[in-house]
Amino acid sequence: MRTRVTRRAALAAGQTFGRAGAVCWRGSIGRCFLTVLRSACRLSVVLPLLLFAACDSEQNDPYPHSERNRNILYSVFTERPKHLDPARSYTEDEAVFTAQIYEPPLQYHYLKRPYTLIPGTAENVPEPEYYDAVGQRLPADALPETIAHSVYEVRLRPGIRYQPHPAFAVDSSGQPVYANLDAARLAGIDTLADFTRMGTRELTADDYIYQIKRLAHPRLHSPIFGMMAARIVGLRELGGALQEAAKSLPEDAWLDLDRFPLEGVTRVDRHTYRITLIGKYPQFRYWLAMPFFAPVPREADRFYSQPGMAEKNLTLDWYPVGTGPYLLAENNPNSRMVLQRNPNFHGETYPCEGEAGDKQAGLLDDCGKPLPRIDTLVLTREKESIPYWNKFLQGYYDASGIASDSFDQAVRLDIDGGVRLSGEMQARGIHLLTRLSASIFYQGFNLLDPVVGGGGKDGVGEARARKLRQALSIAVDQEEFISIFLNGRGIAAMSPLPPGIFGHGEGEAGINPVVYDWRDGQVRRKPIEAARKLLAEAGWPNGRDAESGEPLVLTLDTTGGGADDKPRHDWLTRQFAKLDIQLVVRSTDYNRFQEKLRTGAMQIFSLGWNADYPDPENFFFLLSGSEAKIATGGENIANYVNAEYDRLFAEMKDMDDTQARAEIIGRMKRILQDDAPWIFGFHPKGYTLAHAWLHNRKPHDVANNTLKYQRIDAAERARRRHAWNAPVLWPLALIGAALAAIVVPAAVVYRRRERSTAKGAVLTKRQNT
């Protein structure tokens, strides 16, 4: 913006002198000099004002002047959050917000590795108690097949209070202030801040029980209902009862969940509740660290269910209610989201221990200090990577990823494959944080499709479809994709399991033998000829049906379609073309894409998965038949069903990490590699840059509530911003020099002309007399 100020000044100067020149051509030389001098006088007034304005080194600061030197973290989000309701939200983009607001009973230790569960609102991490079919207590090492039920008892810390919220506002008699609202009372209310009365209350066990019941609410369509209905005693039956009750109610009517008991979740006392599971499920403790199991107070559910609220976006999906370190103060998902410190947040402190190297890295400097360390979080939506990157370099964002366009500017690759910061980044004091993410990105096949799945009356047959999927798995060169679009920041996936997850596998034993060979101690992708052979065996030699000669055309459904997506789609189209297969990419908006996934109206799709918790079950369940999207509404979007895989999954998921479990995992991976329900894509390497004034930042793959630990040195940020955004004054100096070059000679000539005219006038007067 500062350069635009000087360009406008130059343009104004050019227009001024252009008009002066036009006068010189049209009029006398005297009038020309007079016009030039007048123009110069105008600029002599304007130029100092421009110089004065330019001396402010933060003319292009995108934030209000009042925010300077305040304890604010400035960050970015790229995708519009769709759901902030903890029963519905299940994406990484949404967790950036929900994890700062809601508090499940458990959380992860910020610094320790491997990832370790610690209490959140709970007093301790609950240990399950096991019971047999007749209710007899079993020892902790009981065999899984003898365990009929597991019981987790959660004891909450007393004194935790909710954020200020109008749902808790009560009158002198203790009755809700904002009950029974109607259109008249909602007139003039557009945001939560328009309610003048706020209140709070203590967190109780009933709030957690109420939220667990919400997972079965028929109108919320919780993505984990199917999975939890198979685990929590009575949850499936509750879903059926709520479904029946909802039929007799208007679409927007409130369904009071307190009227419906849930057998497997019971209240012990005000601060204690029990959850009873079917069988043994050791991963359940991880779920207790996720927002799905965070509290939702009945008052908030009732408040938001009143008529007219949803039309104004006054919903739990838009305005969360929590006990966490932050509350959502501003919700503009297309532009800017602001979270502010929750004034009622309880006394949590920064950790005093971590892993080796944390002390030397300064990560223990804030030991024992109260959380959160930052007062306000301002997150701005940036759809394109280049503006994001430029603002980061100017100091207007405190941290940044590294897009492909900026990779060479940010880091350097050593001969041995190591990564280091570029000289420019080091000079700015920027830090580089790297990690191999517990994530996978992939292209999935809809196994209900007659071509890529082979089933149905018009299907090509499962054997043909399997070979087609195998051929495509070979043809889509993940190593090339990682090199071109990720600058080498990733590794090709051999199965759903990323490195660091039990059962991943290394070396020759860990490769996908359908797609890769092991030669000379290294993994090698099979040649394209192997893929062509499989395609011919599938009945499409050279990409055409062996009987009809029709070309094979496949479709990929995806979201987006922006400038950053097109090169990737073009690349994928070329990968399919290596087999003479035509790929049609259909980009749709998020809601339409989700509808296609729910109804199976797609053939191939692109998705990713970030670990909810560090266990292989959290990846393998994505392909379990019990999670098939069409049949159960679960997370198996490929609708893949294999009886042997499902049997092994059922045996593996409840086991501890033993050699027996590792062997079962190996067999499961071989089944998936042969069936190829996914084109196993890649596991990304995360590269994050942070400015010198951002402290206590450590990557964490499974926890999202990490912003409360970070700290900002606002004074240092202001100092560096001032230095990095110094005004560009040379255009104004150039204008000044040009002005002087024109004005001084013009003034001299004009004075000579005036003197000559005066002398001539005197001589004429003498002659006349």
Side-chain angles (χ1 to χ4, degrees):
M1 290 178 69
R2 195 171 304 99
T3 55
R4 286 200 291 269
V5 170
T6 57
R7 286 172 183 165
R8 286 197 295 268
L11 179 60
Q15 290 173 340
T16 300
F17 286 111
R19 288 194 295 269
V23 172
C24 290
W25 284 108
R26 293 195 302 265
S28 67
I29 190 68
R31 202 164 62 197
C32 170
F33 289 145
L34 183 61
T35 303
V36 169
L37 285 174
R38 287 174 178 168
S39 300
C41 289
R42 294 191 194 102
L43 281 176
S44 68
V45 175
V46 173
L47 189 59
L49 295 177
L50 290 173
L51 287 168
F52 179 77
C55 286
D56 182 356
S57 69
E58 295 190 30
Q59 283 266 327
N60 58 343
D61 191 338
Y63 309 116
H65 188 276
S66 60
E67 291 185 2
R68 295 184 189 177
N69 294 312
R70 286 181 55 192
N71 186 17
I72 300 174
L73 173 75
Y74 294 102
S75 188
V76 165
F77 66 101
T78 57
E79 294 295 329
R80 183 184 188 276
K82 307 301 187 300
H83 299 294
L84 299 180
D85 184 330
R88 307 178 72 184
S89 175
Y90 204 10
T91 70
E92 196 79 7
D93 300 312
E94 295 159 356
V96 172
F97 305 101
T98 58
Q100 322 311 322
I101 298 169
Y102 298 112
E103 284 193 296
L106 304 182
Q107 61 181 333
Y108 289 91
H109 195 286
Y110 182 47
L111 302 178
K112 288 183 178 180
R113 304 293 185 273
Y115 300 119
T116 304
L117 285 172
I118 61 172
T121 58
E123 288 188 342
N124 50 53
V125 177
E127 292 293 336
E129 296 179 354
Y130 300 125
Y131 296 87
D132 62 18
V134 296
Q136 185 72 29
R137 176 83 179 267
L138 297 174
D141 60 352
L143 295 174
E145 57 268 24
T146 67
I147 298 173
H149 296 104
S150 306
V151 177
Y152 290 80
E153 183 168 291
V154 181
R155 174 73 182 174
L156 304 176
R157 288 185 287 122
I160 297 174
R161 303 189 71 80
Y162 281 99
Q163 67 181 69
H165 194 276
F168 301 120
V170 296
D171 58 23
S172 57
S173 63
Q175 296 303 308
V177 172
Y178 297 113
N180 303 314
L181 296 177
D182 53 26
R185 295 187 65 189
L186 282 175
I189 292 179
D190 297 305
T191 70
L192 207 63
D194 293 329
F195 291 95
T196 58
R197 298 279 298 276
M198 297 284 172
T200 185
R201 71 160 172 82
E202 186 185 26
L203 173 69
T204 69
D206 291 323
D207 302 328
Y208 286 94
I209 295 172
Y210 197 89
Q211 164 61 9
I212 295 173
K213 290 180 179 180
R214 295 181 76 247
L215 300 178
H217 199 299
R219 293 173 184 165
L220 293 180
H221 305 289
S222 176
I224 69 164
F225 170 67
M227 181 191 308
M228 287 300 137
R231 290 296 183 181
I232 299 175
V233 173
L235 189 63
R236 191 179 304 280
E237 290 75 14
L238 174 62
L242 295 178
Q243 184 77 42
E244 285 299 314
K247 291 179 181 178
S248 61
L249 295 175
E251 184 65 27
D252 59 350
W254 180 47
L255 191 58
D256 185 2
L257 303 185
D258 274 357
R259 294 173 37 229
F260 300 86
L262 175 54
E263 180 184 355
V265 184
T266 56
R267 181 183 192 269
V268 177
D269 58 39
R270 180 176 176 82
H271 296 110
T272 310
Y273 63 101
R274 289 195 188 110
I275 303 174
T276 302
L277 305 182
I278 299 169
K280 181 181 179 181
Y281 186 36
Q283 295 84 7
F284 186 69
R285 287 187 299 178
Y286 296 125
W287 285 99
L288 293 178
M290 297 177 65
F292 289 114
F293 289 86
V296 168
R298 177 178 180 273
E299 299 97 316
D301 193 37
R302 175 70 182 93
F303 173 81
Y304 285 130
S305 297
Q306 297 179 87
M309 287 289 208
E311 290 78 0
K312 293 175 176 283
N313 277 332
L314 294 171
T315 65
L316 200 62
D317 238 3
W318 199 266
Y319 290 108
V321 184
T323 62
Y326 295 100
L327 57 85
L328 186 61
E330 180 182 334
N331 185 349
N332 184 353
N334 292 317
S335 177
R336 168 176 147 127
M337 307 281 279
V338 178
L339 292 91
Q340 293 179 348
R341 178 192 291 268
N342 175 7
N344 298 334
F345 186 60
H346 49 89
E348 189 177 357
T349 58
Y350 191 89
C352 292
E353 57 182 346
E355 63 176 341
D358 283 349
K359 184 175 180 60
Q360 292 75 10
L363 289 170
L364 298 180
D365 291 351
D366 284 351
C367 164
K369 293 183 178 178
L371 300 178
R373 306 295 296 139
I374 295 172
D375 293 334
T376 305
L377 313 174
V378 175
L379 296 98
T380 304
R381 188 177 184 189
E382 291 284 1
K383 298 180 181 180
E384 304 294 339
S385 59
I386 293 177
Y388 176 13
W389 175 248
N390 289 336
K391 290 175 187 176
F392 169 73
L393 293 182
Q394 290 177 286
Y396 296 129
Y397 292 133
D398 298 315
S400 173
I402 308 177
S404 297
D405 294 337
S406 310
F407 187 82
D408 292 337
Q409 184 182 1
V411 298
R412 297 287 182 269
L413 297 178
D414 296 329
I415 297 176
D416 59 358
V419 179
R420 57 184 172 82
L421 282 170
S422 67
E424 179 186 354
M425 299 299 107
Q426 293 181 43
R428 290 176 175 264
I430 290 172
H431 303 296
L432 173 65
L433 301 172
T434 65
R435 76 188 189 283
L436 189 59
S437 301
S439 308
I440 183 171
F441 289 86
Y442 62 91
Q443 282 83 43
F445 298 99
N446 178 12
L447 274 295
L448 298 181
D449 179 81
V451 177
V452 298
K457 181 178 63 175
D458 300 322
V460 300
E462 292 184 5
R464 287 183 62 188
R466 182 186 303 111
K467 290 190 175 183
L468 169 61
R469 298 193 300 269
Q470 291 176 347
L472 289 170
S473 297
I474 296 172
V476 179
D477 191 336
Q478 304 298 335
E479 290 79 10
E480 181 179 293
F481 180 90
I482 293 167
S483 176
I484 294 174
F485 296 103
L486 304 180
N487 301 98
R489 291 171 290 171
I491 62 171
M494 302 293 169
S495 77
L497 296 186
I501 301 297
F502 182 80
H504 164 70
E506 299 290 344
E508 184 175 6
I511 71 168
N512 179 352
V514 173
V515 179
Y516 293 92
D517 294 320
W518 185 265
R519 297 198 304 269
D520 302 324
Q522 291 186 324
V523 60
R524 306 284 185 183
R525 179 173 290 272
K526 290 182 183 292
I528 195 64
E529 289 74 18
R532 287 187 172 277
K533 182 174 182 294
L534 284 168
L535 187 65
E537 293 173 358
W540 285 285
N542 299 315
R544 291 183 174 273
D545 188 282
E547 297 180 0
S548 68
E550 291 293 321
L552 178 57
V553 181
L554 302 178
T555 59
L556 169 74
D557 282 284
T558 183
T559 58
D564 291 343
D565 296 317
K566 188 177 185 307
R568 300 183 181 215
H569 295 160
D570 291 344
W571 176 86
L572 191 60
T573 300
R574 290 194 297 271
Q575 301 298 300
F576 279 57
K578 290 190 295 188
L579 298 177
D580 298 310
I581 296 174
Q582 299 177 38
L583 179 67
V584 177
V585 179
R586 302 188 300 195
S587 296
T588 57
D589 61 54
Y590 177 85
N591 291 333
R592 175 62 181 142
F593 179 69
Q594 290 297 319
E595 180 65 21
K596 288 183 177 182
L597 299 185
R598 281 194 296 270
T599 60
M602 77 296 185
Q603 199 169 47
I604 308 173
F605 55 93
S606 291
L607 282 177
W609 183 261
N610 298 316
D612 291 320
Y613 44 84
D615 190 273
E617 182 264 350
N618 189 234
F619 288 87
F620 282 132
F621 93 101
L622 296 170
L623 290 164
S624 167
S626 62
E627 284 289 318
K629 175 63 78 174
I630 298 299
T632 70
E635 292 300 315
N636 177 2
I637 298 171
N639 297 295
Y640 171 70
V641 178
N642 180 296
E644 178 63 9
Y645 175 85
D646 289 343
R647 185 189 69 78
L648 292 172
F649 175 74
E651 183 178 355
M652 179 278 305
K653 61 184 172 54
D654 297 332
M655 297 176 69
D656 296 321
D657 289 343
T658 61
Q659 181 59 35
R661 193 185 201 204
E663 291 174 359
I664 293 175
I665 288 173
R667 291 160 63 188
M668 294 173 67
K669 290 194 299 184
R670 288 290 181 263
I671 291 172
L672 294 179
Q673 289 161 351
D674 188 58
D675 283 350
W678 293 355
I679 298 176
F680 300 113
F682 61 92
H683 308 296
K685 291 180 181 178
Y687 283 40
T688 304
L689 300 177
H691 282 298
W693 58 76
L694 179 58
H695 302 278
N696 301 339
R697 189 175 179 89
K698 184 174 182 178
H700 204 297
D701 275 332
V702 291
N704 294 293
N705 65 334
T706 58
L707 294 180
K708 63 185 177 183
Y709 300 104
Q710 298 179 32
R711 172 167 53 85
I712 289 288
D713 185 339
E716 178 65 13
R717 176 172 60 192
R719 185 186 70 79
R720 296 205 183 208
R721 277 185 183 177
H722 184 85
W724 294 343
N725 295 279
V728 181
L729 298 178
W730 65 263
L732 293 177
L734 186 62
I735 292 172
L739 178 65
I742 294 173
V743 169
V744 173
V748 171
V749 173
Y750 179 73
R751 289 185 60 128
R752 287 176 181 172
R753 177 69 178 174
E754 288 297 304
R755 288 173 183 171
S756 175
T757 301
K759 288 180 180 180
V762 171
L763 290 175
T764 302
K765 184 176 181 181
R766 287 176 180 175
Q767 290 172 357
N768 290 336
T769 57

